[in-house]
Amino acid sequence: MKVWDRHAKMDEMETLELGGHEFLCSAEQLPSGDFHAVVRYRASPSDDIRTLILDQQRLGSSAAALELAKDLARTWAREHGQLAQ
């Protein structure tokens, strides 16, 4: 599911279900106008949303940052035994 929320400086966000976890991947705009990838997850059983990865790489588009966020979520899930290698 894609969500656009310009007021939160989050140009795009997509939810991924990986290995039983719900990851919220987003491209967040920095004051410079660049974007960076952010991965959050929904913690069970409280459903609190917590930041997992706040990538420091600056990207020129929200689309590139969103793709990086999804890749980071997949890598995290694989490294933590949530996905098959």
Side-chain angles (χ1 to χ4, degrees):
M1 173 177 76
K2 283 193 174 187
V3 176
W4 288 269
D5 183 357
R6 301 224 184 263
H7 299 294
K9 293 291 185 191
M10 194 178 300
D11 194 48
E12 291 189 71
M13 184 172 77
E14 193 168 324
T15 303
L16 291 179
E17 297 280 340
L18 301 170
H21 293 282
E22 183 178 4
F23 294 92
L24 305 163
C25 303
S26 62
E28 295 187 6
Q29 192 170 25
L30 299 166
S32 66
D34 292 332
F35 294 85
H36 68 140
V38 179
V39 179
R40 295 179 174 88
Y41 71 99
R42 191 173 306 276
S44 296
S46 65
D47 280 342
D48 289 342
I49 295 174
R50 299 193 177 143
T51 301
L52 184 63
I53 301 168
L54 190 63
D55 194 71
Q56 297 301 308
Q57 184 177 349
R58 293 172 176 241
L59 300 164
S61 74
S62 62
L66 180 59
E67 286 306 311
L68 177 57
K70 292 189 292 187
D71 288 343
L72 291 169
R74 287 184 195 100
T75 298
W76 187 94
R78 226 180 347 269
E79 289 175 352
H80 290 84
Q82 302 302 314
L83 296 177
Q85 295 289 329

